[in-house]
Amino acid sequence: MFGYSLSEVGNIFVMQGFSGLSLFSVLLLMALGLAVIFGQMGVINMAHGEFMAIGAYTTVLLSNIAVSYDFVQSYFVFAIIAAFIVAFIIGYLVEYGLIRHLYKRPLDTLLATWGLSLIMQQIFRSIFGAKEVSATLPDWLLGSFKLTPNIDIPINGVFVMVLTLIVTGGVFVFMYRSRWGLRMRATVQNRVMAGAVGINTKRVDRVTFALGCGIAGVAGAAFTTIASTGPTTGSLYIVDSFMVVVLGGTASLIGTIASAFGIAQTQSILQFFMTSSMGKVATLLTIVVIFMMRPEGLFSSKVRK
Amino acid sequence: MNSLAKKLLDGREGAVSLALLAAIILIVLPLLLDPFRIGLVGKYITYAFVAVSLVLLWGHGGILSLGQGMFFGLGGYAMAMFLKLEASDPISTKIQTTPGIPDFMDWNQITAIPWFWQPFQSLTLTLLAILLVPTFFAFIIGYAMFKRRVGGVYFAIITQAITLILSILIIGQQGYTGGVNGITDLKTLLGWDIRTDSARYVLYYLNALLLIGCIMLSHYILSSKFGMMLLAMRDKEERVRFSGYDVANFKIFIFCVSAMISAIGGAMFTLQVGFMSPSFVGIVPSIEMVIFAAVGGRMSLIGAVYGTLLVSFGKTMFSETYPELWLFLMGGLFIAVVMFFPNGLAGVYNKYKNKIGFLRRLSESDKETPTVAAPVPANSVTAKPQGETA
Amino acid sequence: MSNTDFVLAIEDLTVSFDGFKAVDNLTMYIDKNELRVVIGPNGAGKTTVLDLICGKTKSSSGSIKFKNLELTKLREHEIVRAGVGRKFQTPSIYENLTVYQNLEVSYPIGRSVWGSLTFKRTEAVTSRVQQVAEEILLQDMLDTESALLSHGQKQWLEIGMLLMQDPELMLLDEPVAGMSAKERDQTADLLNRICKNRSVVVIEHDMEFVKKIAHKVTVLHQGKILAEGTMDKVQADEKVIEVYLGH
């Protein structure tokens, strides 16, 4: 096929598959954050990409400090945690200052958060400059290892994947096994009753939003292992993340994961065989068509309307 | 005021507002501004088409489309294709490898006009394409979405994705669409040079008149029972469905109308400005046009025009002198309008107009006279007191 | 059995949500010009039955025939146009329109896109609105914004909106909830009048009110019919007493 031998095609699929996996990981982390917020509050945060950028810039900052103080090999894990915390805090403040006033108006929230994203992008530009910046990655993240003589797996790709699995697992545990997660789910399912039994639904919303932003921050940290960061980096993945949420639904974690996986893989593979832009077009078009055929998403269960 | 005039002009108050707007854009501005600036205002007026379409779709229909750029672009590119073909006659392009085809096709080693460009050799077909292709597009999208009860946030995001698809497609297919640079170097419309100053004025007036025409058409739609039902559907969709209305059809119709109006704007843009590019098709321009409508007043057709003019002026002024400040301002504008001025400038006007004598009398003269009860004399004991709104 | 005599024939109707059977093999027949009241404890499935008839919820199995027309295959607005009117539990009127406009909107002409664009307020429309307004005792409030009506008046307005459509089957979900005693009496009169020309199915909890209007009563419990008959018969039924007062 296409002038490649069968084994070569197999290798290509595996390698594209892995490059797709890095994309998948970042996408999944972004979509997780979005899905948590959207599922909880019906709010779509157009500035979500900028929260990812916050995480990325935090990592870059810490990387610069690490270079000056010579602990490049060990700073990265701290950077990830820091990215989460910074994004979480800023998300908390944003919810308090902006989002909570707009709960009954999801369309207006779209517009307000778009405005927020413009402002945030400009802040990045003013502080970090318009050019892209990179984090200095520790040695153990660089390079690749040979799975077989013909297949090269980049280490950072594997790291990002593992990170994503940990975060996804963490979210699962948090949502389904912790007290706070219980409060969150109660508020989603029946806000009035949750309030009536003493759950501070406003606090829950705030924490949920901040959590979603924090996860985006981690996505940003992961992102620095793949590419450099600029003020508009956030908008790279935002539409794709929306598509993941739209297709996968917000009801189940599995839906989000499967959706992210499907979209990332489709895009990687299509982009290999067509030009980069046509591959993107084909992927998006496929998603839109699938959505039009099954608007309730691929994974939602039938609920009494 | 007879009933047709009432419907087209939105009552006495609406007629005065429209007359004022017409006076400003048809008389005042051309007197004050030089040809270059008039060209700029003409450009803004083409954006106003989209803002007006959003007043119908979003303000009244409650449907937020983040992809009106796709219709603006479809109309604009249709016109651009016609004008480009005219500008690429064999004589002016004789230095090309293949004379008689647009320059960007030549650069991409294309040797003949592609099949989907052929119809744009005729002005009639081009005009039909401007009116019908975007409408058809909107019909397909609307049918797929509204019949399945997709609305709100999902619809907004999908329109955003579709407009992204279109813009990537246009950019990627350089040979067929001119790519990221767009279609440029447009010269004449059926032999008439569109680049001269006098042409600029003529096109400006054409633009303004078409816009006023679209506003009147929109008034007609909104003042009919359709308009009332649209508002009812926005606020209580289920109820309307259970009154025997097929809600999806109404939404599809207004989406198609909004697409057509936006497309006309796009086509006029190409004529007025002399080129068309994908930077007017994608996500960012689409959402900017939403802010025009939001600032002017999402419920007010005339307000939307003022909003477009104001924000566009602001953008041109600021992004030259203080480009960084502009993005902050624009972001802030989005937030401020949504939080504090949901009905935009028109909303502010409506709140305070009753304080000014003649404005109040004007708007009250439009209030519907009692429909069935006999008129009650003003000095009768049983008359209800006229409410004085603060 | 031929169904042609019944206005509404529900047979073996079932709907289940994730395994829970809200309505379980229900069979019920409504005559022409009958006023049937459906009662039962909360969660018995009463509102769900109305939802199924008017198309708001899709059934899992069974048939609903309205004058021999199978309703389970139609969409909500088609069911309305066929002659079925539904009033919801909480008053669902157009708050920012006047009483007149609320009624006019429900006029059964001009409900398509083209029809509504070209709709003209003719003498026929105005007089019908006047007529219905008198039925629902709101003839003096035609120019009042409906948000300003009392709760009871809003309920009447919604009934009026249904009357404008001149349905042959009216479904009323708790029409007197929140009404004063006098309003309840007026509503009872209203319902007794309107069922002279159509069939009406009412869900209610107020037993005094039910007694005033019901020709026949159906008691639902856990999605099934527990008892059916005149009010006296049903009130004396042991199963009914147990379900309402027991355990």
Side-chain angles (χ1 to χ4, degrees):
Chain A
M1 160 164 65
F2 292 82
Y4 293 99
S5 75
L6 199 59
S7 69
E8 279 173 333
V9 170
N11 290 342
I12 289 172
F13 263 103
V14 173
M15 285 203 289
Q16 281 307 116
F18 265 95
S19 87
L21 277 176
S22 293
L23 174 64
F24 159 60
S25 308
V26 177
L27 207 55
L28 176 59
L29 286 174
M30 291 267 290
L32 261 182
L34 260 182
V36 164
I37 297 175
F38 188 49
Q40 175 83 4
M41 316 187 303
V43 158
I44 283 273
N45 177 14
M46 286 243 166
H48 200 70
E50 276 61 47
F51 280 96
M52 173 185 119
I54 286 181
Y57 275 117
T58 308
T59 310
V60 167
L61 267 182
L62 277 176
S63 133
N64 293 341
I65 298 178
V67 166
S68 328
Y69 289 93
D70 198 32
F71 55 101
V72 179
Q73 299 313 317
S74 51
Y75 84 97
F76 202 75
V77 178
F78 295 114
I80 297 176
I81 299 176
F84 178 86
I85 293 177
V86 172
F88 184 94
I89 293 175
I90 298 184
Y92 197 89
L93 293 171
V94 164
E95 201 282 345
Y96 184 76
L98 181 66
I99 312 285
R100 72 180 165 125
H101 301 286
L102 299 172
Y103 270 131
K104 297 267 167 69
R105 300 149 56 188
L107 294 180
D108 286 349
T109 313
L110 274 178
L111 296 178
T113 52
W114 178 267
L116 181 67
S117 85
L118 290 179
I119 293 180
M120 283 169 82
Q121 282 183 20
Q122 195 46 40
I123 293 180
F124 295 149
R125 209 166 275 129
S126 310
I127 300 182
F128 298 102
K131 273 172 55 182
E132 295 188 350
V133 292
S134 296
T136 315
L137 297 175
D139 288 336
W140 48 270
L141 268 182
L142 301 173
S144 56
F145 66 94
K146 285 185 164 337
L147 195 61
T148 75
N150 287 327
I151 299 181
D152 269 335
I153 307 293
I155 296 185
N156 61 1
V158 176
F159 176 77
V160 166
M161 241 179 69
V162 171
L163 176 64
T164 306
L165 285 171
I166 296 177
V167 171
T168 310
V171 169
F172 178 80
V173 164
F174 181 78
M175 298 246 0
Y176 293 98
R177 295 273 183 275
S178 80
R179 236 321 8 164
W180 199 266
L182 191 59
R183 289 192 195 119
M184 271 169 60
R185 284 181 290 136
T187 311
V188 169
Q189 290 185 24
N190 194 332
R191 184 171 285 262
V192 176
M193 271 318 287
V197 299
I199 295 177
N200 186 342
T201 55
K202 290 199 168 67
R203 266 268 297 277
V204 171
D205 288 336
R206 202 156 299 144
V207 169
T208 309
F209 190 83
L211 179 67
C213 294
I215 299 176
V218 175
F223 178 77
T224 58
T225 67
I226 307 176
S228 49
T229 311
T232 56
T233 301
S235 48
L236 273 182
Y237 290 104
I238 191 71
V239 175
D240 294 311
S241 317
F242 288 156
M243 293 294 106
V244 169
V245 171
V246 151
L247 212 50
T250 56
S252 73
L253 213 52
I254 308 284
T256 312
I257 295 175
S259 182
F261 186 75
I263 292 178
Q265 287 305 337
T266 310
Q267 187 166 305
S268 266
I269 294 175
L270 284 178
Q271 280 183 328
F272 183 80
F273 287 115
M274 312 178 185
T275 63
S276 166
S277 65
M278 281 311 280
K280 183 126 194 117
V281 165
T283 310
L284 284 175
L285 208 48
T286 313
I287 299 171
V288 170
V289 167
I290 293 181
F291 179 76
M292 288 194 185
M293 294 197 304
R294 217 195 128 91
E296 58 272 21
L298 293 173
F299 298 96
S300 54
S301 56
K302 177 177 174 173
V303 179
R304 173 177 177 177
K305 197 162 75 88
Chain B
M1 186 175 254
N2 84 50
S3 87
L4 179 65
K6 203 164 176 202
K7 284 187 158 208
L8 288 175
L9 300 173
D10 194 26
R12 275 203 203 99
E13 197 187 357
V16 169
S17 306
L18 188 58
L20 183 63
L21 178 70
I24 293 180
I25 57 180
L26 291 173
I27 302 175
V28 175
L29 288 180
L31 285 176
L32 288 178
L33 301 174
D34 56 81
F36 172 71
R37 294 237 149 67
I38 279 291
L40 272 185
V41 179
K43 186 168 73 161
Y44 304 155
I45 290 183
T46 64
Y47 296 151
F49 280 85
V50 181
V52 161
S53 79
L54 280 165
V55 170
L56 287 174
L57 182 66
W58 175 42
H60 286 82
I63 302 164
L64 179 61
S65 157
L66 293 178
Q68 291 303 85
M70 65 175 128
F71 305 121
F72 188 81
L74 283 173
Y77 267 93
M79 181 59 85
M81 284 157 82
F82 172 80
L83 295 173
K84 188 64 175 174
L85 284 176
E86 185 174 317
S88 308
D89 58 276
I91 304 168
S92 11
T93 57
K94 61 180 187 291
I95 57 167
Q96 287 176 192
T97 315
T98 317
I101 65 170
D103 44 16
F104 55 85
M105 288 191 193
D106 198 51
W107 300 334
N108 283 281
Q109 282 94 48
I110 296 177
T111 54
I113 297 179
W115 61 271
F116 61 92
W117 272 75
Q118 303 270 10
F120 294 97
Q121 292 173 327
S122 136
L123 182 62
T124 321
L125 285 181
T126 302
L127 290 177
L128 279 176
I130 292 171
L131 289 177
L132 297 179
V133 169
T135 311
F136 178 70
F137 227 58
F139 180 81
I140 303 278
I141 300 173
Y143 192 91
M145 296 270 153
F146 298 133
K147 289 282 181 191
R148 309 295 229 90
R149 315 269 169 99
V150 174
V153 169
Y154 283 106
F155 182 81
I157 294 185
I158 295 284
T159 54
Q160 191 183 51
I162 296 179
T163 204
L164 180 65
I165 292 175
L166 193 62
S167 69
I168 297 180
L169 199 56
I170 292 178
I171 295 176
Q173 300 293 53
Q174 247 193 340
Y176 296 110
T177 63
V180 69
N181 296 316
I183 301 183
T184 57
D185 271 335
L186 305 174
K187 301 191 185 95
T188 60
L189 172 67
L190 291 180
W192 173 59
D193 193 331
I194 58 173
R195 296 165 295 178
T196 64
D197 275 354
S198 69
R200 229 172 246 174
Y201 274 98
V202 172
L203 287 169
Y204 173 82
Y205 278 108
L206 180 61
N207 231 337
L209 288 172
L210 274 175
L211 179 66
I212 292 176
C214 285
I215 292 179
M216 298 209 298
L217 173 71
S218 306
H219 273 147
Y220 185 85
I221 293 178
L222 290 177
S223 61
S224 69
K225 186 174 175 188
F226 180 94
M228 194 160 75
M229 293 324 296
L230 200 60
L231 278 176
M233 279 173 209
R234 183 192 67 176
D235 299 330
K236 262 202 162 79
E237 190 176 310
E238 283 289 284
R239 214 311 141 230
V240 175
R241 196 169 278 131
F242 285 107
S243 298
Y245 293 82
D246 191 343
V247 170
N249 287 348
F250 280 72
K251 291 185 176 180
I252 294 173
F253 182 78
I254 203 68
F255 191 43
C256 289
V257 170
S258 79
M260 183 157 76
I261 295 180
S262 301
I264 296 176
M268 288 314 298
F269 177 93
T270 306
L271 277 173
Q272 180 86 65
V273 177
F275 77 96
M276 188 54 177
S277 91
S279 60
F280 300 101
V281 175
I283 294 183
V284 171
S286 299
I287 207 169
E288 267 183 17
M289 305 203 234
V290 174
I291 202 67
F292 297 156
V295 166
R298 69 184 85 164
M299 299 295 293
S300 160
L301 293 162
I302 295 181
V305 179
Y306 287 124
T308 309
L309 292 174
L310 270 164
V311 178
S312 301
F313 266 128
K315 179 172 180 184
T316 311
M317 253 185 5
F318 274 99
S319 49
E320 279 161 26
T321 33
Y322 307 107
E324 292 163 0
L325 186 59
W326 173 249
L327 272 175
F328 274 121
L329 274 183
M330 184 124 104
L333 202 55
F334 272 95
I335 296 178
V337 167
V338 159
M339 298 250 281
F340 307 118
F341 306 106
N343 282 327
L345 292 170
V348 175
Y349 169 77
N350 279 327
K351 236 182 7 172
Y352 294 108
K353 74 179 176 196
N354 288 311
K355 297 203 162 143
I356 302 178
F358 84 92
L359 286 177
R360 187 183 66 229
R361 283 193 287 277
L362 196 59
S363 78
E364 276 172 3
S365 74
D366 277 332
K367 290 240 165 51
E368 261 189 40
T369 45
T371 38
V372 194
V376 179
N379 56 1
S380 147
V381 180
T382 53
K384 294 198 190 72
Q386 278 291 7
E388 194 82 335
T389 39
Chain C
M1 170 168 31
S2 154
N3 297 326
T4 48
D5 296 333
F6 295 115
V7 157
L8 188 69
I10 302 176
E11 285 177 341
D12 300 323
L13 188 63
T14 305
V15 70
S16 82
F17 301 115
D18 275 342
F20 167 67
K21 282 200 178 142
V23 171
D24 193 357
N25 256 308
L26 185 73
T27 297
M28 203 162 91
Y29 299 101
I30 312 278
D31 278 315
K32 241 191 190 165
N33 301 344
E34 181 190 337
L35 201 165
R36 174 79 59 95
V37 181
V38 175
I39 62 176
N42 281 324
K46 312 186 293 291
T47 302
T48 313
V49 171
L50 292 197
D51 285 346
L52 288 164
I53 298 174
C54 73
K56 191 155 180 268
T57 307
K58 284 241 160 313
S59 62
S60 311
S61 66
S63 119
I64 304 175
K65 283 212 179 76
F66 170 66
K67 298 194 306 178
N68 284 326
L69 181 66
E70 182 59 55
L71 292 185
T72 53
K73 296 200 177 64
L74 299 178
R75 293 185 306 180
E76 295 96 321
H77 70 276
E78 291 169 330
I79 296 178
V80 170
R81 293 194 191 187
V84 179
R86 163 92 190 261
K87 185 198 153 313
F88 293 89
Q89 223 165 347
T90 46
S92 182
I93 56 179
Y94 305 114
E95 306 260 327
N96 57 325
L97 299 180
T98 62
V99 170
Y100 180 89
Q101 287 170 325
N102 266 278
L103 292 173
E104 187 182 66
V105 153
S106 316
Y107 190 72
I109 302 288
R111 293 195 284 202
S112 65
V113 167
W114 179 254
S116 62
L117 282 169
T118 55
F119 179 82
K120 294 219 185 328
R121 178 177 292 168
T122 59
E123 180 60 43
V125 176
T126 329
S127 60
R128 174 110 183 103
V129 169
Q130 178 74 22
Q131 194 188 10
V132 170
E134 280 167 8
E135 284 256 29
I136 56 173
L137 310 174
L138 291 178
Q139 68 270 32
D140 294 325
M141 310 201 63
L142 281 168
D143 290 306
T144 314
E145 195 179 299
S146 56
L148 303 173
L149 297 175
S150 75
H151 183 82
Q153 289 171 321
K154 285 183 185 170
Q155 305 264 45
W156 292 340
L157 177 58
E158 203 178 342
I159 293 178
M161 286 161 73
L162 292 186
L163 286 175
M164 288 293 296
Q165 295 161 213
D166 203 11
E168 281 178 69
L169 175 64
M170 267 177 72
L171 309 170
L172 306 179
D173 203 338
E174 299 191 32
V176 294
M179 280 193 190
S180 66
K182 176 155 180 253
E183 286 172 331
R184 283 171 202 240
D185 286 336
Q186 288 172 310
T187 312
D189 288 334
L190 172 62
L191 292 184
N192 281 325
R193 265 181 285 130
I194 64 180
C195 79
K196 292 211 169 54
N197 298 321
R198 53 190 63 83
S199 310
V200 182
V201 176
V202 177
I203 293 180
E204 243 321 317
H205 289 294
D206 179 354
M207 293 306 155
E208 289 304 310
F209 180 75
V210 172
K211 274 209 197 112
K212 285 202 188 88
I213 60 172
H215 298 170
K216 218 163 134 185
V217 171
T218 300
V219 184
L220 281 188
H221 181 54
Q222 289 175 350
K224 300 208 241 302
I225 293 186
L226 193 60
E228 208 170 72
T230 64
M231 188 61 182
D232 294 324
K233 176 177 164 222
V234 155
Q235 273 189 318
D237 187 309
E238 280 184 3
K239 288 181 286 178
V240 173
I241 296 174
E242 192 194 319
V243 152
Y244 265 105
L245 301 172
H247 78 89

